[in-house]
Amino acid sequence: LEPHPSSKCCYYIVNEVHSQHRNADSKHNFGVYDGPHYNDQLFRYVPSGKNDGFFYIYSCSYTNDRIAKYGVEDDKISMYSGPKYSDQLWKLVPRFKANFFTDEVFHFD
């Protein structure tokens, strides 16, 4: 997440491989944009309220809009401002999980 310089609670959601691409809420429509930075590309994360690690992702421009994933296909994603449903809950998950341990193979004094 890339924080906005003057809005501490709002973030750009940036693609790892194509870092110029950012999610956007363009007039209540979900999209990806690679041009200049605009406020409709800023999002805030609000906990679900269930202490489960899930968040609603709200637009900082259209403050009632939340990102929703309403189907399994890649393009079944939208901005939604109606009632809250579970298809609007998101979780930040580490890309990799590392386990560290020490295993002494040889000891010499």
Side-chain angles (χ1 to χ4, degrees):
L1 296 175
E2 181 182 324
H4 188 269
S6 64
S7 183
K8 65 181 180 178
C9 294
C10 294
Y11 297 86
Y12 294 108
I13 302 174
V14 179
N15 182 271
E16 179 182 16
V17 175
H18 306 284
S19 60
Q20 74 277 15
H21 288 83
R22 296 169 304 283
N23 288 357
D25 182 357
S26 178
K27 299 179 184 172
H28 309 286
N29 293 300
F30 182 84
V32 178
Y33 188 69
D34 69 349
H37 289 75
Y38 294 113
N39 287 341
D40 67 357
Q41 300 162 17
L42 292 169
F43 295 88
R44 61 188 171 90
Y45 291 77
V46 177
S48 69
K50 299 177 183 175
N51 203 25
D52 57 4
F54 284 90
F55 294 84
Y56 293 101
I57 304 175
Y58 280 87
S59 168
C60 290
S61 186
Y62 302 102
T63 57
N64 290 325
D65 284 5
R66 296 176 301 279
I67 297 177
K69 180 74 175 106
Y70 60 90
V72 296
E73 294 88 6
D74 289 342
D75 63 345
K76 302 300 182 195
I77 190 167
S78 67
M79 302 307 301
Y80 183 74
S81 61
K84 293 179 180 174
Y85 296 111
S86 60
D87 66 353
Q88 301 160 27
L89 290 169
W90 301 86
K91 189 174 201 174
L92 297 174
V93 179
R95 184 172 176 196
F96 300 104
K97 182 177 179 181
N99 294 316
F100 294 95
F101 64 91
T102 301
D103 193 5
E104 189 171 322
V105 177
F106 179 79
H107 180 85
F108 181 77
D109 283 324

